[in-house]
Amino acid sequence: MQVDVLNAKELKKAAPVFGQLSFDNHEQVVFCNDKDTGLKAIIGIHNTVLGPALGGTRMWNYTSEWEALNDVLRLSRGMTFKSAITGLNLGGGKAVIIGDAKTQKTPELMMKFGEYVDSLGGKYITAEDVGMETADMDLVRDVTPYVTGISEERGGSGNPSPVTAYGVFMGIKAAAKYQFGTDELEGRSVLVQGIGHVGETLVEYLTNDGAKVYISDISEERLQEVRNKYGAIIFDEADVYSAHVDIYAPCALGATINDDTVKRLNCKVVAGAANNQLADEVKHGQILRERGIVYAPDFLINAGGIINVYAELEKYSRQEIMSKTENIYNTTLQILETAAREDITTHFAALKIAKQRIEDRKKSSLK
């Protein structure tokens, strides 16, 4: 029997895990497969210098396994910096389950996934993300202690989405303060793209603060529901990115700021809940800066959710959760001012602070 052996150059062309553009010295990538339940999942552990890798599980109907891998690598890396800049003693991790959450998610699949999480012995702690509900985390909790965001009835912090939305709201107000000279949103136009759990709650905060809120989503049913509930305006034009609004808040999936969209933006501020909003952190961050568009780094302003679930590990109160989340306002303002002073992008300014905290911890652990 003849066995073909790839040399290093050919292996890189084959785009293995280590050859992925999104691979950034991740510590561990775990592929999970179970024939009986249909589970196909990938767990990405990016960095555990500050503590165990905590990050949500996303269930999405990816077009390919490579798309799923790319997503989990990008998301887990983002979680590292999110925890670091927020001052939490956590590393960065994330998980994706390949499939349609509405039709393929079963209790058996979730518990089997929980067994894979448990096999990592606490190096990765999971939580809720897109396609997941608090009830799913309760199922995972049946087979492993390494899960957060479980129901309040079971001693958890519950759905993290409202706290995530509050942190994004704080980030929006800070960006408005920097760009417009005031954090008052009365009369400001805001386009919220994606009105899931977080997006809807953000719409509520913005509406209560007097903003003129436009909404965009792939689900017509959700659009009607949120419009009727909060009086938001459905954005019905074809091109969301060319909308003449003060603030664009991406709250769906990532990479909406890309080569195709970045030069079409007509907003003054980009600040939303989505992870990895910049398809290319360096290039697109620089273009936004050159165009005078203030970008509030996503991994900073959407950190409310991880603050919320971290409370389960540290046992701090609801009041402390909200206080820490409210501080996102001050940190965002600090980042925007630092970027202007040092003549760098806001993304790079935030990344620098996060990386420095990790490096400092690494050095102190060697002493």
Side-chain angles (χ1 to χ4, degrees):
M1 185 177 97
Q2 184 178 349
V3 178
D4 293 328
V5 179
L6 295 177
N7 62 36
K9 203 168 185 180
E10 291 170 328
L11 186 63
K12 191 170 183 181
K13 282 181 185 175
V17 176
F18 298 144
Q20 283 281 306
L21 289 174
S22 300
F23 185 83
D24 182 32
N25 293 310
H26 286 68
E27 293 178 9
Q28 196 171 354
V29 181
V30 182
F31 292 83
C32 317
N33 180 69
D34 182 67
K35 182 182 176 183
D36 293 337
T37 62
L39 174 72
K40 290 188 183 301
I42 310 172
I43 299 171
I45 298 174
H46 178 248
N47 189 287
T48 57
V49 170
L50 295 175
L54 193 153
T57 295
R58 171 173 296 188
M59 188 166 185
W60 190 256
N61 208 9
Y62 294 99
T63 56
S64 69
E65 291 177 14
W66 289 116
E67 186 186 21
L69 175 60
N70 181 62
D71 205 26
V72 80
L73 291 175
R74 279 170 62 87
L75 290 167
S76 56
R77 176 179 179 269
M79 292 305 298
T80 293
F81 302 131
K82 187 181 299 190
S83 292
I85 201 166
T86 315
L88 307 179
N89 293 319
L90 292 170
K94 205 81 175 183
V96 297
I97 298 175
I98 301 170
D100 188 330
K102 291 180 180 175
T103 61
Q104 295 175 281
K105 185 171 60 176
T106 63
E108 292 77 17
L109 181 142
M110 290 310 306
M111 287 191 284
K112 178 55 69 173
F113 172 72
E115 289 176 17
Y116 279 104
V117 171
D118 193 64
S119 72
L120 294 169
K123 189 173 183 181
Y124 169 66
I125 301 171
T126 196
E128 183 183 326
D129 200 82
V130 175
M132 290 289 141
E133 305 287 344
T134 304
D136 298 316
M137 296 304 102
D138 283 351
L139 287 168
V140 172
R141 183 65 183 83
D142 287 341
V143 294
T144 181
Y146 305 122
V147 56
T148 56
I150 58 175
S151 62
E152 294 180 55
E153 294 79 16
R154 297 188 61 170
S157 57
N159 181 4
S161 298
V163 187
T164 303
Y166 185 61
V168 174
F169 178 60
M170 287 292 104
I172 286 174
K173 286 180 75 70
K177 170 76 173 173
Y178 182 84
Q179 182 72 300
F180 306 122
T182 175
D183 61 13
E184 292 296 323
L185 298 178
E186 181 79 40
R188 290 279 172 207
S189 54
V190 186
L191 172 57
V192 179
Q193 182 187 31
I195 45 174
H197 294 317
V198 176
E200 180 184 341
T201 311
L202 179 61
V203 168
E204 182 180 7
Y205 279 123
L206 292 167
T207 302
N208 290 342
D209 213 42
K212 186 177 183 180
V213 183
Y214 294 87
I215 52 175
S216 170
D217 197 274
I218 57 174
S219 169
E220 185 62 34
E221 185 183 343
R222 286 291 294 151
L223 286 170
Q224 298 296 337
E225 186 182 335
V226 173
R227 179 185 67 178
N228 295 339
K229 202 169 178 181
Y230 305 104
I233 305 162
I234 296 175
F235 186 83
D236 53 11
E237 295 177 33
D239 189 0
V240 169
Y241 307 101
S242 297
H244 287 270
V245 292
D246 294 314
I247 300 163
Y248 163 54
C251 296
L253 298 182
T256 58
I257 309 294
N258 51 52
D259 288 341
D260 182 48
T261 63
V262 69
K263 292 180 181 176
R264 304 208 313 263
L265 292 172
N266 283 312
C267 59
K268 294 295 182 184
V269 171
V270 174
N275 288 304
N276 303 315
Q277 292 166 27
L278 306 179
D280 185 314
E281 297 169 358
V282 177
K283 179 168 69 170
H284 300 133
Q286 183 61 29
I287 293 172
L288 289 177
R289 178 171 169 271
E290 288 169 356
R291 295 195 60 209
I293 299 172
V294 170
Y295 170 64
D298 51 45
F299 66 87
L300 165 59
I301 72 169
N302 68 13
I306 198 169
I307 292 170
N308 185 66
V309 295
Y310 184 59
E312 290 181 31
L313 305 177
E314 294 298 304
K315 309 297 181 192
Y316 51 70
S317 68
R318 188 73 179 173
Q319 186 179 355
E320 194 169 351
I321 290 171
M322 298 312 287
S323 174
K324 286 178 181 293
T325 304
E326 194 167 304
N327 194 51
I328 287 173
Y329 178 100
N330 297 323
T331 309
T332 302
L333 212 48
Q334 176 194 343
I335 293 294
L336 299 180
E337 290 166 351
T338 298
R341 188 172 59 251
E342 298 185 12
D343 200 23
I344 56 178
T345 67
T346 55
H347 182 87
F348 186 72
L351 205 58
K352 196 163 81 162
I353 291 173
K355 284 183 173 180
Q356 189 59 56
R357 182 166 179 252
I358 294 168
E359 196 57 38
D360 290 347
R361 177 66 62 85
K362 202 184 287 185
K363 286 177 182 175
S364 67
S365 65
L366 293 174
K367 291 178 182 177

